Amino acid sequence: MSYKVNLQIPTGCVIKREGFRRIVYKLVPRLSLKGRVVKDKIPIGHIDNDTDLLDPNENYYWFYDEEENEVERPAIVPSIRSIGRAYLFRRICQRLGLVEILEECFLDESSELVLTAALFMFARGNVFRRIESFCEENTIWEIPLTLQYATKLFQTIGTYTTQEFFKLWMKAKPSGTLIAYDSQVLTPALPSDLVSDWRPNDSNIYASHLSFGCYVSLETNLPMFYIVYPAPIVNKSNLDNLTELNAKLKVKDKDVVFALFPEFFSQTNLRFMAKKGLTFIVELDIDHPMIKETVAELGKDIKNSFHNYIISASGLFFCNSAEGSYYGTSATLHLCHDSFQNFRLLQEAMFRHDNRKEIMEQLERMTPEQAKDPGFGWIVDLAKDGTFTFRSDDDLINAKFKNWGQSAFLSNSKLSSKEVIKASQFKKTIEKRYINLFNRVDDDKTKPFFDEIREGKLLCAFIALIVETEFRLRLDSLLTKKSWDMELALAELDRIRVIKDGDGFRAPDPLNLTQRTLLELFELDEADLQAYVKGERR
């Protein structure tokens, strides 16, 4: 059980009703470009309808101390805690050497606080407003964090610390060939009254997103390091963002495969990559005129080859490839067919198709505007008096159905189709891990961005990504055999509970078969869990 954080409303704030919520704003004076003093309204939380007190968001702690407006309330310490995720997270970090690396990067207890923050991101996501209750209910030995101290922790982590972490991590895990993913994943909303806190780009337009270049080892499949830059790589000049980092970390460009956005596909860019000897994977629009015929040819027998398929927790994928010349550059086109997505899209389309049929059967007349857009897969013949007949456009449905769930990738690397498809799937994992990273207010559209915490929060999210990747790699075979998904496995971990017993904890129930199977994948057993519960290091 946990409690809400309810505080007295600070003096000098204004309250504005938005829908069913009452938002509390702090007025912050600043000097405008015209030299006038104006007041920005910055949301610091909303009023709890049950208590009429302030339920703060992260912005609150930038202006007030934690105890300044706190209402006296009883401390509630949960007697039962769910510790499965925290236990496995700690053991994975120990096995990968992350604990020792962080201890070397931070000379004080900050290394443990970083692990707590990364654990929260691994278990609950990137919004920190409920980290205090998470620490109370889901950890036993980890140093707890509050929203305020998490923010202060992120502020203490700078570029130097991040670079030191990268160097130690790459030394501990030699990477070999790397895949550099260009992902556009950081998308905070931009409130107009906080524009002064944002940095303009070259066009003097305030950016509402950032791009994240994540390097992943092809041998271990683990993330190795990253770089953040203001825009996706859509031309050769943008590649400097990644090649400069390669030089700093002593990574040779020839050992990197650049996974890029479809916009990079152009004659100038491909010839530049070939001239520099750089390898790439570019995702292409399935209907691009240059590959349309090749896609149609590859798609004919894509599901007939027994060897060209991938079964994973993400789904069932078939792949096929063909070599060719594109803008004068020799490359291989890889076609992927996602059977699960194909089925889902067909199911949704058929539902809309049948639903539209029922609606049209009840109509006696149609307007010309309605007849122009009768719905997916239908053709309407409209008479002058408004009466109409309709028929199913089966040719359109069949043509669309063939491409549903298909994706195309062009590469000049030596990677096989299976390796290219797996690489594309990992990009989705990166984007999911970093979504809403700078979402500063949980349920409000206002998401201010603060440069001071960016480096620290990115590093903690990166550690969570490393652990999540190792977790998925070990779990993949089990998830396929048992037809589970990631959430079911995590839910089983949540059922590992301990009870507060005096100054310590004890596990009331033995592990079930599924929980033991999960731990065995990581070379762990019930004896090791008991040692963790007792506070013993292994």
Side-chain angles (χ1 to χ4, degrees):
M1 181 178 180
S2 64
Y3 52 79
K4 291 182 178 180
V5 180
N6 291 137
L7 307 171
Q8 297 285 358
I9 300 172
T11 57
C13 293
V14 296
I15 301 171
K16 183 178 179 181
R17 181 174 291 277
E18 297 182 7
F20 295 102
R21 307 182 72 188
R22 291 175 291 170
I23 307 299
V24 180
Y25 292 91
K26 179 176 176 60
L27 300 178
V28 180
R30 66 174 173 86
L31 199 64
S32 70
L33 296 176
K34 295 182 180 180
R36 299 175 182 174
V37 177
V38 296
K39 291 186 177 181
D40 289 331
K41 291 194 302 181
I42 298 181
I44 60 172
H46 69 275
I47 297 177
D48 187 280
N49 292 327
D50 297 328
T51 62
D52 276 338
L53 296 172
L54 175 67
D55 186 4
N57 59 39
E58 290 182 348
N59 296 338
Y60 173 88
Y61 297 103
W62 289 90
F63 302 107
Y64 304 100
D65 290 333
E66 189 172 20
E67 295 84 10
E68 188 173 338
N69 299 291
E70 190 169 0
V71 177
E72 188 174 346
R73 58 182 183 270
I76 302 174
V77 179
S79 59
I80 301 178
R81 302 191 184 192
S82 174
I83 55 113
R85 297 195 197 198
Y87 161 66
L88 191 58
F89 181 90
R90 168 66 64 165
R91 290 300 189 242
I92 291 176
C93 286
Q94 290 173 335
R95 299 287 172 87
L96 293 177
L98 291 171
V99 175
E100 291 78 7
I101 290 173
L102 289 172
E103 287 175 350
E104 192 168 340
C105 290
F106 299 91
L107 300 179
D108 53 16
E109 67 177 15
S110 295
S111 63
E112 286 295 325
L113 294 174
V114 169
L115 284 172
T116 301
L119 164 63
F120 177 78
M121 289 174 151
F122 168 73
R124 292 292 184 267
N126 297 328
V127 182
F128 273 71
R129 68 183 309 191
R130 293 185 177 89
I131 188 171
E132 190 171 354
S133 61
F134 170 81
C135 292
E136 291 175 351
E137 298 169 1
N138 301 98
T139 66
I140 50 178
W141 304 121
E142 286 71 19
I143 299 179
L145 268 177
T146 63
L147 186 63
Q148 179 190 16
Y149 289 116
T151 303
K152 291 180 179 178
L153 172 68
F154 297 146
Q155 286 179 290
T156 64
I157 301 173
T159 304
Y160 176 80
T161 304
T162 301
Q163 295 297 319
E164 281 299 303
F165 175 86
F166 291 159
K167 291 175 183 177
L168 293 171
W169 175 234
M170 291 182 67
K171 184 178 179 180
K173 297 287 180 183
S175 54
T177 302
L178 292 161
I179 298 181
Y181 293 92
D182 178 30
S183 301
Q184 188 174 320
V185 292
L186 308 178
T187 55
L190 177 60
S192 59
D193 56 0
L194 288 178
V195 150
S196 60
D197 292 330
W198 286 63
R199 292 181 177 179
N201 58 24
D202 293 338
S203 304
N204 205 32
I205 299 173
Y206 287 88
S208 60
H209 64 265
L210 291 173
S211 289
F212 182 82
C214 184
Y215 286 70
V216 178
S217 169
L218 193 60
E219 296 178 10
T220 65
N221 292 310
L222 291 174
M224 301 307 298
F225 55 90
Y226 63 83
I227 182 175
V228 176
Y229 38 92
I233 298 173
V234 295
N235 57 60
K236 60 182 183 180
S237 61
N238 295 121
L239 272 177
D240 293 341
N241 291 314
L242 299 183
T243 54
E244 287 177 6
L245 181 63
N246 294 349
K248 287 181 181 178
L249 294 173
K250 298 180 180 179
V251 175
K252 298 178 181 179
D253 288 341
K254 67 180 181 65
D255 293 332
V256 177
V257 179
F258 297 91
L260 305 168
F261 278 99
E263 290 80 4
F264 191 82
F265 183 61
S266 70
Q267 181 176 1
T268 303
N269 291 338
L270 293 193
R271 289 185 174 180
F272 170 80
M273 298 292 278
K275 182 179 179 180
K276 293 290 186 180
L278 302 176
T279 52
F280 59 83
I281 301 172
V282 181
E283 184 176 358
L284 301 181
D285 185 347
I286 202 74
D287 294 321
H288 194 287
M290 186 171 286
I291 66 169
K292 202 167 185 178
E293 291 184 8
T294 309
V295 166
E297 194 64 31
L298 291 175
K300 289 179 181 179
D301 59 347
I302 193 169
K303 293 191 286 186
N304 296 335
S305 175
F306 178 76
H307 299 288
N308 287 339
Y309 72 90
I310 304 169
I311 299 178
S312 70
S314 304
L316 172 62
F317 304 91
F318 294 92
C319 48
N320 207 347
S321 63
E323 296 181 359
S325 178
Y326 302 87
Y327 290 129
T329 302
S330 297
T332 303
L333 182 68
H334 302 271
L335 183 66
C336 172
H337 179 88
D338 185 342
S339 295
F340 290 2
Q341 186 183 20
N342 179 271
F343 174 75
R344 286 193 300 268
L345 292 173
L346 177 63
Q347 194 175 38
E348 292 173 6
M350 289 299 97
F351 174 80
R352 295 197 307 271
H353 185 266
D354 294 342
N355 185 55
R356 187 59 185 166
K357 179 182 178 182
E358 293 178 4
I359 294 174
M360 289 192 294
E361 286 176 340
Q362 298 174 20
L363 297 176
E364 294 182 359
R365 285 179 170 78
M366 265 193 185
T367 64
E369 289 76 15
Q370 290 175 318
K372 287 180 181 178
D373 185 21
F376 173 74
W378 289 106
I379 298 175
V380 171
D381 298 316
L382 185 66
K384 292 182 179 180
D385 60 355
T387 58
F388 65 94
T389 59
F390 60 91
R391 64 186 186 278
S392 179
D393 190 351
D394 294 338
D395 291 338
L396 174 65
I397 294 173
N398 291 331
K400 291 286 186 182
F401 172 68
K402 291 179 182 178
N403 286 342
W404 284 340
Q406 285 190 354
S407 51
F409 304 88
L410 189 70
S411 177
N412 65 345
S413 68
K414 296 180 180 179
L415 299 179
S416 66
S417 291
K418 288 185 178 182
E419 290 173 321
V420 170
I421 303 310
K422 286 181 178 179
S424 70
Q425 291 300 307
F426 190 79
K427 184 176 181 180
K428 296 178 182 178
T429 301
I430 296 173
E431 292 175 347
K432 184 179 179 181
R433 168 52 52 200
Y434 283 87
I435 194 169
N436 286 336
L437 186 64
F438 294 102
N439 179 358
R440 306 287 297 186
V441 184
D442 247 349
D443 302 316
D444 196 81
K445 294 181 180 179
T446 305
K447 303 168 187 175
F449 176 85
F450 294 91
D451 243 7
E452 294 85 351
I453 70 166
R454 188 182 77 179
E455 204 74 58
K457 205 168 186 182
L458 278 168
L459 179 61
C460 292
F462 184 71
I463 295 169
L465 177 63
I466 293 173
V467 175
E468 180 183 346
T469 303
E470 177 71 8
F471 186 71
R472 286 179 180 274
L473 291 172
R474 296 283 187 116
L475 235 62
D476 205 47
S477 59
L478 180 65
L479 297 182
T480 303
K481 291 177 183 177
K482 291 184 174 290
S483 299
W484 283 10
D485 59 23
M486 188 77 168
E487 292 305 316
L488 281 174
L490 291 172
E492 199 62 43
L493 286 175
D494 287 337
R495 294 173 61 187
I496 299 178
R497 299 183 177 93
V498 295
I499 295 177
K500 179 75 173 173
D501 187 11
D503 294 332
F505 297 88
R506 63 180 177 85
D509 302 312
L511 298 177
N512 60 37
L513 177 61
T514 304
Q515 291 166 345
R516 290 199 301 273
T517 303
L518 282 172
L519 296 188
E520 285 170 3
L521 292 174
F522 299 89
E523 301 168 4
L524 300 171
D525 54 25
E526 196 158 358
D528 184 78
L529 174 63
Q530 294 294 343
Y532 171 79
V533 172
K534 294 176 182 178
E536 301 173 3
R537 289 179 64 93
R538 284 201 175 192

